[in-house]
Amino acid sequence: MRAAESIDVLEHTQAGHLLTAGGRCIGVQAHDFTTQATLFITARATALATGGVGGLYRVTTNPPVITGDGLALAYRAGARLADIEFVQFHPTALAAPGFPKFLLSEALRGDGARLRNARGEAFMKSYHPLGDLAPRDEVARAVTSEMKAAQQPFVYLDLAPIGKQRLEERFPAIVRACREHGFDVPDSPVPVCPAAHYTMGGIDVDLDCRTSLPGLYAVGECSCVSVHGANRLASNSLLEGIVFGPRCAAAMTREQQPAEADCREVISAGFRLVDVGSGFYHDLLDIMWDNMGVVRSDATLRGAIQFLAHTSAKVGPSTVPTRYGIEQANGLLLGKLMAAAALNRWESRGAHYRLDCEETSDQLRQHTIAYRGDDGAPVIEFRPVELQRTRFEH
Ligand SMILES: Cc1cc2nc3c(=O)[nH]c(=O)nc-3n(C[C@H](O)[C@H](O)[C@H](O)COP(=O)(O)OP(=O)(O)OC[C@H]3O[C@@H](n4cnc5c(N)ncnc54)[C@H](O)[C@@H]3O)c2cc1C
């Protein structure tokens, strides 16, 4: 990217607000944290590629900057979000201190590694016929259940069945990470726990990555082009990027330049970036993990909404924008929307699992759509799923 003359990379600069005029997006307002300058960047097309929401969870494999900024910006500007209750939890993150958690790939279990509980029992067969090779959501729930039964924050991954030589040859990075954390693999089992990993939902887009707000595009994990349904299969997000990245770019080139007068007007009006100070970040991560995590229920979701509403009411805008302040404002908004969407989905489906409603409902084979209503309040509704087979000619 740096080598491309047509691309300017702005380091330490955070997009905080989408510029809109006449019902379309005409650019972005950003804050440069090196110079403390506010930047107004107008464009004929704007694409959000800000990643998912994994960083809003206390236990995550995602870098801490992946806090759903793009979803919050799009929602505030009037674009629709889709399926935001579907967050994938990877079942086997290394349960060692640190943020984010190091990921212990499924390939280990594919090669024979076994999950064991606190009593040393290989438990997966009692949860699913595929045992350790069951889908991610099934394994994450089984691990959560064993952790709860033993009242300990991890189970164990036993790498011994792979054999020392094969383990070192096939998984050198994993072996190094485990040993750096003091686990002498494969002789010692490794403590593992589920961690927020991938956001299936996101900004609602069509097959050219167009959002519902003209001029605004979204691509990658922040978007919901809906190829992952309720439960993404491992490795499909890179495939998604390869397919939809070029389609997004091609569609953007067909947009018209915004009128100069509109740009001048929007820039002169300016906008105070939404920033709520940084005092409660850990509470936010905790409530997302505890109440909106691997398993949910009416009570946990209502608890999350109540907590987040209470916190939103307590905090006011801060005078100087900070990265954490902006991320927290976005996190508060998204947490409330995600919990409301999860509460509205009165069933269990894919990665959305409700203890008070474990069945999958045929009637709810629908997308969740969330948007800002005319009165500013969130609207959460369902839209029928339309399956289509598409062949792209690149
Ligand atoms: C540990 C791990 C292993 C994975 N392994 C695989 C795999 O094997 N195969 C696979 O297909 N997928 C894998 N994934 C998922 C895949 O990596 C992600 O889905 C993918 O990287 C998302 O790419 P993205 O470009 O959409 O977003 P990201 O790569 O998350 O990038 C988002 C960027 O936006 C920036 N940003 C965020 N907010 C703002 C803002 N407000 N202003 C400016 N910039 C902002 C961030 O700093 C970041 O640079 C893995 C994910 C993790 C965490």
Side-chain angles (χ1 to χ4, degrees):
M1 282 231 297
R2 283 182 201 288
E5 278 185 16
S6 56
I7 298 176
D8 292 327
V9 178
L10 306 179
E11 295 276 12
H12 308 293
T13 301
Q14 188 171 9
H17 176 66
L18 292 170
L19 305 174
T20 56
R24 61 179 289 121
C25 178
I26 60 166
V28 69
Q29 180 176 339
H31 194 79
D32 179 336
F33 286 106
T34 311
T35 62
Q36 298 301 337
T38 298
L39 310 177
F40 295 90
I41 302 162
T42 56
R44 58 179 160 163
T46 304
L48 293 166
T50 51
V53 303
L56 290 179
Y57 283 86
R58 183 178 74 220
V59 187
T60 180
T61 62
N62 288 195
V65 289
I66 304 302
T67 51
D69 280 4
L71 280 73
L73 265 64
Y75 173 85
R76 285 202 193 93
R80 290 196 192 100
L81 307 182
D83 295 341
I84 47 176
E85 64 275 37
F86 295 107
V87 175
Q88 181 169 75
F89 297 88
H90 196 289
T92 56
L94 183 62
F99 187 101
K101 299 285 181 212
F102 183 79
L103 188 69
L104 296 183
S105 155
E106 261 117 7
L108 291 165
R109 278 173 283 137
D111 251 26
R114 288 284 164 273
L115 282 161
R116 296 189 182 279
N117 62 19
R119 292 189 299 276
E121 299 157 349
F123 57 84
M124 270 314 301
K125 273 281 183 204
S126 62
Y127 286 88
H128 196 278
L130 290 173
D132 287 87
L133 301 182
R136 271 187 188 168
D137 62 311
E138 301 272 359
V139 184
R141 284 197 295 279
V143 168
T144 303
S145 163
E146 292 292 329
M147 282 165 41
K148 196 168 171 209
Q151 298 208 337
Q152 87 180 6
F154 50 80
V155 295
Y156 296 98
L157 188 62
D158 176 10
L159 305 183
I162 301 177
K164 188 171 181 184
Q165 189 183 345
R166 185 171 168 81
L167 182 70
E168 287 174 348
E169 277 169 16
R170 295 249 302 135
F171 305 102
I174 291 177
V175 168
R176 200 166 45 246
C178 291
R179 289 182 181 160
E180 275 169 13
H181 281 92
F183 305 111
D184 182 21
V185 291
D187 297 336
S188 310
V190 190
V192 292
C193 63
H197 184 60
Y198 186 85
T199 311
M200 266 81 69
I203 304 161
D204 188 29
V205 293
D206 68 11
L207 295 177
D208 286 321
C209 301
R210 271 187 214 95
T211 71
S212 57
L213 177 66
L216 180 66
Y217 290 71
V219 66
E221 197 172 328
C222 74
S223 71
C224 179
V225 72
S226 201
V227 283
H228 305 301
N231 210 357
R232 158 187 173 264
L233 293 177
S235 276
N236 272 0
S237 54
L238 298 187
L239 189 59
E240 176 187 351
I242 290 168
V243 173
F244 292 100
R247 293 185 66 80
C248 179
M252 288 172 77
T253 61
R254 296 193 285 270
E255 295 281 351
Q256 302 293 319
Q257 287 290 354
E260 270 193 33
D262 283 346
C263 297
R264 269 199 307 275
E265 193 178 321
V266 168
I267 290 171
S268 64
F271 182 83
R272 190 163 180 188
L273 294 183
V274 182
D275 177 320
V276 291
S278 56
F280 58 92
Y281 199 51
H282 292 287
D283 295 341
L284 174 64
L285 304 189
D286 284 348
I287 203 88
M288 291 299 284
W289 180 250
D290 294 336
N291 291 34
M292 264 292 293
V294 179
V295 293
R296 303 102 189 253
S297 70
D298 187 89
T300 69
L301 296 169
R302 285 186 195 282
I305 292 171
Q306 210 175 1
F307 170 85
L308 295 167
H310 178 70
T311 308
S312 305
K314 258 192 342 198
V315 293
S318 89
T319 41
V320 183
T322 65
R323 199 196 100 197
Y324 291 117
I326 294 172
E327 284 175 356
Q328 284 180 136
N330 293 339
L332 274 181
L333 170 65
L334 283 179
K336 281 187 284 186
L337 291 173
M338 289 166 67
L343 191 61
N344 195 47
R345 186 171 286 282
W346 189 252
E347 64 161 354
S348 291
R349 180 182 294 275
H352 166 72
Y353 195 86
R354 286 186 54 154
L355 287 171
D356 52 354
C357 189
E358 295 177 317
E359 300 302 313
T360 300
S361 153
D362 282 346
Q363 279 177 335
L364 291 182
R365 194 163 169 274
Q366 308 207 40
H367 294 288
T368 292
I369 301 297
Y371 59 94
R372 207 172 137 123
D374 292 339
D375 59 356
V379 178
I380 308 274
E381 57 192 28
F382 287 117
R383 182 177 72 197
V385 170
E386 285 172 26
L387 286 184
Q388 43 178 316
R389 186 182 290 268
T390 306
R391 188 177 177 83
F392 295 131
E393 307 291 345
H394 278 303

